[in-house]
Structure formats: C-alpha cells, structure tokens
Amino acid sequence: MGKRGPKPATKEELIVRFWSKVNKNGPIMKPGLGPCWPWTGSSNPKGYGGFRYGGCLVMAHRFAFTITKGPLRKGKRACHKCDYPPCVRPGHLFSGTQAENLKDCRKKGRIFTKLSDAQVRRIRTLYVPRKVSVRNLAARFNVTSSQIWHVVTGRQRMVPVG
Ligand SMILES: [Zn+2]
C-alpha cells in the first residue's frame, strides 16, 4: 500500500489559509502605499515568505499576486513597490522582469501551469504504470509530479489557482 497524502485542498480553502497567515496591519515602509501586509509564516533567508501546500513550497508574495491578479507571465516575477520582501499586499506587488532568481521563480511557477482538457486526456492515455512514470510525464508537460498524479488517479486535475 502506498502512502497517501491528505486530500488536496480546494482553491477556496487554500486562499483562506493563506490570508490567515498575513498581518494586514504591518509597518508603513513607503508613505503613500499604506501599511504593508507582512507574511507571518516561515520565510527564507532573504525575507521572502514561503507558503506550503500539497507538497509544494511557493513564495508567499507570488502566491498573493497569482490569486489576486492572475498567473504571472513567463519570465515575469512578482516585485515589491514597497521593497519589503515579506509583504504580500496585492496593491504593493507588480510583475517585473528582474533576472535575479528567475530560474527559481519559473520552477516555482510551474505549479500554476494549467492543463487543458486535451492534455489531461493525453496524460491519461500516455500513463502506463511501471513503463511511463508520473515523473516522466511531469517533465514532459512541465508540471509537478503531484499534478500528474492527480490527473492519472482522477482525483483532481490540479490545484485550481489563477
Ligand atoms: Zn508592502
């Protein structure tokens, strides 16, 4: 018997959980922008918040951007108008093109990749236990293994963010 993780959360549950870790009355870093909304969960050494769900770790400000403004376009990253890394206030975020951490961002952005119905059907056809692995398909469709797993087990196509 394989180990089964907890049931994937719905988009609404994830969003509620996300905002429950945000302090909406943080410091004012730039006058005119109003208070920053610092992430109160774990953060990386640079001060960016990390939000963990479904086996993935995403940057909190990126997640905030995605759930309020839609997915970031390829090569774009969520930047801070307030220059305050823990801040996740949507009005303080904009999509920019700084090359720094680009690869890392892109990798993390993969969890937001949407699979079309056609791709879902194709994955289900291609998947052959012990021959074509979940990992192999994940690389092929540029999504996470858990997304493929959800597709082939018919549990959920993906975490429906964005
Ligand atoms: Zn801010």
Side-chain angles (χ1 to χ4, degrees):
M1 289 295 272
K3 260 198 297 181
R4 284 188 108 182
K7 209 168 134 273
T10 65
K11 180 180 178 179
E12 288 71 27
E13 284 165 352
L14 275 178
I15 290 172
V16 168
R17 187 157 70 80
F18 178 81
W19 291 118
S20 76
K21 294 183 185 220
V22 175
N23 168 16
K24 292 191 177 172
N25 199 14
I28 294 179
M29 304 304 283
K30 279 218 176 136
L33 283 179
C36 282
W37 294 1
W39 177 250
T40 62
S42 61
S43 57
N44 73 12
K46 285 185 174 172
Y48 292 99
F51 181 50
R52 196 178 283 281
Y53 68 91
C56 304
L57 178 67
V58 292
M59 281 172 147
H61 68 294
R62 263 181 88 82
F63 190 85
F65 186 99
T66 307
I67 61 177
T68 55
K69 297 166 191 269
L72 283 158
R73 274 188 293 144
K74 210 173 176 179
K76 298 270 182 165
R77 63 194 290 255
C79 302
H80 286 93
K81 289 179 196 168
C82 55
D83 298 324
Y84 186 46
C87 180
V88 297
R89 183 170 177 167
H92 291 190
L93 302 172
F94 66 99
S95 78
T97 51
Q98 280 159 272
E100 171 195 295
N101 289 337
L102 189 61
K103 227 174 108 203
D104 191 43
C105 281
R106 216 177 261 167
K107 207 168 97 198
K108 289 184 174 129
R110 286 202 316 186
I111 60 149
F112 298 117
T113 307
K114 277 195 176 162
L115 293 167
S116 67
D117 289 343
Q119 283 177 312
V120 167
R121 279 196 297 275
R122 185 139 171 75
I123 288 166
R124 288 190 175 138
T125 319
L126 287 170
Y127 176 67
V128 182
R130 284 181 294 276
K131 281 194 178 158
V132 181
S133 69
V134 164
R135 191 179 296 225
N136 176 295
L137 290 171
R140 200 137 136 191
F141 288 87
N142 195 31
V143 294
T144 62
S145 298
S146 67
Q147 261 179 273
I148 297 290
W149 182 245
H150 292 324
V151 167
V152 297
T153 56
R155 282 159 74 204
Q156 196 185 350
R157 186 188 302 175
M158 62 171 294
V159 180
V161 173

